[in-house]
Amino acid sequence: PLYKLYRAIKYQVDKGPVDAVTGKAKRTLNDSHLFREDIDYCSVTLTVLVKSGVEVQPCPVKVLDTDTITQVKDKILDQIYKGAPYSQRPAADSLDL
């Protein structure tokens, strides 16, 4: 239940822009980390091709046009490895887009 709560909160926070440097977000539980100004953003759906053996399967991933490369990598990894333990997933720094 705790993991499901964490995932639900993370999903809601990631629906809006998050500043990668300061950690401030449009949607957050912490009032001190809330954006005070309006930021224009839009959602973009990427189609990531996941290769497993010989097969290549498309996997849609929703990102924001304001996300950094590392944030996009994290969202892609969250979508591809959503059933796997975090310890078995590669680090975002080890991947290239």
Side-chain angles (χ1 to χ4, degrees):
L2 182 61
Y3 180 71
K4 286 183 180 181
L5 176 64
Y6 164 75
R7 294 295 299 165
I9 292 171
K10 184 171 177 4
Y11 176 76
Q12 288 299 320
V13 170
D14 286 346
K15 283 171 66 175
V18 177
D19 188 325
V21 176
T22 64
K24 292 189 175 193
K26 182 158 180 87
R27 301 169 179 230
T28 182
L29 295 175
N30 188 348
D31 189 38
S32 66
H33 283 79
L34 187 65
F35 277 131
R36 300 293 177 208
E37 64 277 348
D38 283 336
I39 296 176
D40 295 330
Y41 67 95
C42 64
S43 179
V44 178
T45 302
L46 303 177
T47 301
V48 178
L49 301 176
V50 181
K51 186 177 180 183
S52 58
V54 180
E55 286 185 32
V56 176
Q57 297 178 345
C59 180
V61 179
K62 287 189 179 184
V63 297
L64 302 176
D65 61 348
T66 58
D67 285 342
T68 64
I69 298 295
T70 304
Q71 289 172 323
V72 171
K73 287 180 184 181
D74 285 334
K75 288 180 181 182
I76 290 171
L77 289 172
D78 284 344
Q79 185 66 27
I80 293 173
Y81 294 98
K82 65 180 166 185
Y86 191 81
S87 60
Q88 294 179 356
R89 151 182 153 166
D93 298 345
S94 67
L95 301 175
D96 293 326
L97 291 180

